[in-house]
């Protein structure tokens, strides 16, 4: 008898599972998908019920041969890819490729990679789920039809090499629409009043604050009994005059008890949001780290251990076993008062798939601090986030004593709020301090306060904020666009296609992205409709539940999409000649257009080749073009071009880094990287460190001998050596705590020094 075969997705899982199954099973990995649609053609037979023409993925034939050979020797083959639609599809494709090699093929799945979970799965195998596979297949075919039919149209009309996607295009529309709102926004003036008060010394004059109590802040709440709104300088001065010389008297003191409840454990989208807000991680980075924590990491003597449950889920449900373990941990760690009398139950949204548990630690007793020294910093940070949120979700509420004080002065009423924590509850498990209102001193109605300061400031209303990764993920989820497991790839695609860029962690659409969005919105109204995209997700869910035939779904979609595509091919205007602007050429006075080049958008004169003016540009808050380089003569020459003899000047790439370019462009295309003047410190390397930028616009400094030498720094290099560790280089850094300073780039060395005055 041969050993049974378990086929998982990832080689990392192989090591984790082998650890507790021993030699009873053969465990191999498919290394992700093994079959897919062809890359060089659409690969879908629309006339034959949208039959997909699957092929073994390039480079995967050796993996397939190995799986077939192992399957031929096994009594039973257990297909164990991830427990979702994508995993079900991988299982179906593997089954199709090993058919005839194995007599007994079963599907197993587990939400966590533990000995108990894997053994339970092996004891309860099932057949492959056709409905789940059809849902994934429908999504794959839908995306292929849209991408492979729309993209060539955009190549003809806009720029070769760009793409459109069924979901990514709608996500782009959200970003572009938000930018349009910002540009149409008209700021309105208002005046803000701030005040700091102090408790008076008992029996003293109102100008004698009591030193044992710290001053506290208050906000202007009402004017003449109505909600405070100070529209302009005249109103601000009038209010200031009306309060001048008048006492600040407490008219009411309200105290009440408040409870703050913990949040449910993470689902995919909330994990991505929290990691972005608290750790600064992108959705893609968060999911990559979570994948490693799920599949298993090396923990010293413990070996390979899976730390969290499956991270692609939109359910807040947890197993009774995990919940009880959390309650026991809480009671043992903090005491019975921190554990609520009844276990907490969280309700999953009606539209969510409840197949999997929430994202939680596999073993709550493996605390973040106990494995901190064994994990890379990013894995530790994310595990601590997951662990803390889960433990807190099963703890008692935090209790506060809230105080609200009303303070009258002439026509103005001020309001001060304070809170005093009575019991920390779940906050005891949180990794960072939660900000709240400061505690107020003991105050009584009728008491007169000492005004430490009363200030006014002119302000203007702000336009709607641009999306961050966290807020975009939240918006996509609330509108039902895509699924949490797809958000990371959607965001990455928008950045990789140069449809949007990140500025101070906020999405700004590029001219290319805005142009593509505008063309698609005008010619593909259904495809670009947010509501339609959400309805399509609901339809795919129905396919997964067996309530809708996937071919019928695709037929309905194509009945609208194909005629629209034919119409757009005729009606969509081309912008290859350039987007018109209201800018005139500073050299000849002819109109200037925006063109899309390999290095990004640029301005070009319509009189070319008679006038060869080109320029980088930016846009102001209203979207108007600002020429960054109005004429070549204004640029400082930094050398002579070795190819044509014209001046070399410093320019800026679309991603932000500087480079050297010939002023003879486009006739001469000579460019050089912008050098820091610092030699590469790697032993045996004769390169220099030059300025580069990532696709996301982050500047870094790397060796110009790449890929032969991969030395790189995030901060501007400074000649060393470090007086502590001997590093040949130091770097110029800027932090909140120390401002601009010199530091050692070695992680294990904490040497810093103040920046010399002549470099400040």
């Amino acid at each position: 008898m041969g050993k049974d075969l378990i086929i998982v997705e990832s080689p990392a899982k192989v090591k984790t599972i082998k650890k507790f199954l021993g030699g009873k099973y053969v465990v191999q990995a498919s290394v992700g998908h093994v079959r897919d649609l062809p890359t060089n053609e659409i690969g879908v037979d629309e006339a034959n019920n949208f039959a997909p023409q699957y092929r073994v993925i390039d480079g995967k034939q050796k993996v397939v041969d190995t799986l077939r050979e192992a399957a031929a020797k096994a009594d039973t083959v257990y297909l164990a890819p991830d427990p979702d639609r994508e995993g079900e599809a991988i299982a179906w494709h593997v089954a199709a490729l090993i058919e005839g090699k194995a007599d007994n093929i079963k599907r197993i799945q587990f939400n966590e990679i533990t000995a108990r979970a894997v053994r339970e799965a092996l004891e309860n195998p099932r057949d492959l789920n056709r409905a789940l596979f059809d849902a994934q297949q429908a999504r794959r075919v839908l995306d292929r039809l849209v991408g492979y039919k729309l993209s060539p149209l955009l190549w003809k009309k806009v720029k070769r090499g760009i793409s459109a996607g069924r979901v990514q295009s709608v996500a782009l529309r959200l970003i572009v629409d938000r930018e349009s709102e910002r540009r149409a926004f008209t700021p309105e003036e208002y005046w803000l009043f701030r005040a700091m008060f102090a408790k008076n010394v008992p029996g003293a004059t109102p100008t004698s604050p009591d030193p044992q109590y710290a001053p506290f802040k208050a906000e202007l709440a009402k004017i003449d009994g109505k909600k405070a709104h100070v529209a302009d300088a005249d109103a601000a001065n009038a209010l200031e005059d009306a309060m001048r010389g008048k006492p600040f008297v407490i008219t009411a003191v309200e105290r009440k008890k408040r409870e703050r409840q913990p949040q449910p454990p993470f689902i995919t989208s909330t994990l991505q949001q929290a990691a972005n807000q608290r750790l600064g991680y992108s959705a893609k980075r968060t999911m990559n780290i979570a994948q490693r924590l799920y599949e298993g990491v090396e923990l010293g003597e413990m070996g390979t251990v899976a730390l969290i449950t499956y991270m692609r889920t939109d359910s807040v449900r947890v197993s009774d076993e995990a919940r009880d373990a959390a309650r026991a941990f809480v009671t043992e760690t903090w005491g019975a008062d921190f554990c609520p009398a009844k276990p907490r139950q969280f309700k999953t949204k009606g539209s969510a798939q409840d197949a999997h548990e929430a994202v939680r630690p596999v073993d709550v007793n493996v605390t973040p601090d106990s494995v901190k020294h064994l994990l890379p910093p990013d894995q530790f940070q994310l595990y601590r986030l997951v662990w803390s949120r889960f433990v807190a979700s099963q703890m008692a509420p935090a209790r506060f004593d809230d105080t609200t004080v009303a303070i009258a002065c002439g026509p103005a009423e001020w309001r001060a709020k304070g809170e005093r924590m009575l019991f920390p509850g779940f906050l005891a498990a949180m990794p960072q301090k939660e900000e709240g209102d400061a505690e107020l001193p003991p105050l009584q109605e009728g008491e007169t306060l000492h005004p430490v300061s009363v200030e006014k400031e002119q302000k203007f209303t702000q336009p709607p904020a641009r999306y961050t990764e966290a807020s975009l993920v939240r918006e996509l989820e609330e509108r039902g666009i895509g699924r949490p497991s797809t958000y990371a790839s959607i965001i990455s695609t928008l950045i990789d296609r140069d449809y949007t860029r990140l500025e101070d962690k906020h999405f700004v659409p590029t001219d290319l992205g805005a142009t593509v969005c505008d063309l698609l919105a005008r010619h593909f109204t259904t495809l670009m409709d947010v509501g339609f995209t959400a309805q399509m997700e609901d339809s795919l869910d129905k396919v997964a539940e067996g309530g809708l035939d996937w071919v019928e779904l695709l037929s309905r979609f194509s009945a609208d999409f194909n005629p629209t595509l034919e119409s757009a091919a005729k009606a969509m205007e081309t912008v290859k000649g350039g987007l018109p602007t209201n800018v005139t050429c500073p050299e000849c006075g002819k109109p200037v257009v925006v063109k899309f080049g390999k290095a990004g958008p640029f301005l070009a004169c319509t009189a070319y080749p008679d006038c060869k003016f080109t320029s980088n540009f930016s846009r102001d808050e209203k979207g108007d073009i600002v020429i960054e380089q109005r004429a070549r003569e204004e640029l400082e020459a930094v050398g002579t071009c070795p190819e044509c003899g014209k001046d070399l000047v410093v320019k800026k790439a679309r991603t932000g880094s500087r480079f050297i370019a010939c002023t003879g462009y486009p006739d001469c295309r000579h460019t050089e990287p912008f050098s820091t003047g610092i030699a590469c410190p790697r032993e045996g390397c004769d390169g220099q460190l030059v300025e580069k930028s990532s696709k996301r616009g982050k500047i870094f400094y790397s060796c110009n001998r790449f890929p032969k030498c991969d030395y790189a720094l995030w901060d501007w290099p400074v000649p060393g050596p470090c007086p502590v560790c001997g590093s040949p280089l130091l770097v110029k850094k800027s932090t909140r705590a120390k401002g601009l300073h010199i530091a050692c780039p070695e992680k294990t060395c904490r040497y810093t020094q103040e920046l010399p005055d002549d470099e400040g």
Side-chain angles (χ1 to χ4, degrees), residues 14 17 41-42 46 64 73 204 278 296 307 319 330-331 338 378 442 644 696 711 727 745:
V14 172
I17 292 173
E41 58 180 307
I42 196 166
E46 293 184 72
V64 171
K73 299 176 183 177
R278 300 184 191 181
L307 288 177
S319 67
V330 169
T331 302
F338 286 80
D378 56 354
C644 72
R696 293 175 177 260
Y711 185 86
S727 168

Side-chain angles (χ1 to χ4, degrees), residues 116 121 202 264 314 342 464 675 688 732 747:
R116 177 192 57 79
D314 49 7
K342 292 183 178 180
S675 177
Q688 281 205 334
K732 190 183 296 185
K747 292 182 179 180

Side-chain angles (χ1 to χ4, degrees), residues 668-740:
C668 179
R669 297 178 178 268
H670 176 78
T671 60
E672 301 172 8
F674 184 86
S675 177
T676 63
I678 305 294
C680 177
R682 185 159 289 173
E683 188 174 349
C685 180
D686 60 353
Q688 281 205 334
L689 299 184
V690 297
E691 187 169 294
K692 296 282 187 71
S693 54
S694 67
K695 287 183 178 180
R696 293 175 177 260
K698 189 169 182 180
I699 305 295
F700 64 97
Y701 308 92
S702 66
C703 182
N704 63 350
R705 295 290 185 262
F706 181 84
K708 184 178 178 181
C709 176
D710 60 0
Y711 185 86
L713 293 166
W714 285 115
D715 303 291
W716 181 268
V718 176
C722 173
V724 175
C725 72
S727 168
L729 285 184
L730 298 171
V731 292
K732 190 183 296 185
K733 298 191 69 163
S734 180
T735 62
R736 288 183 181 179
K738 296 183 179 181
L740 199 59

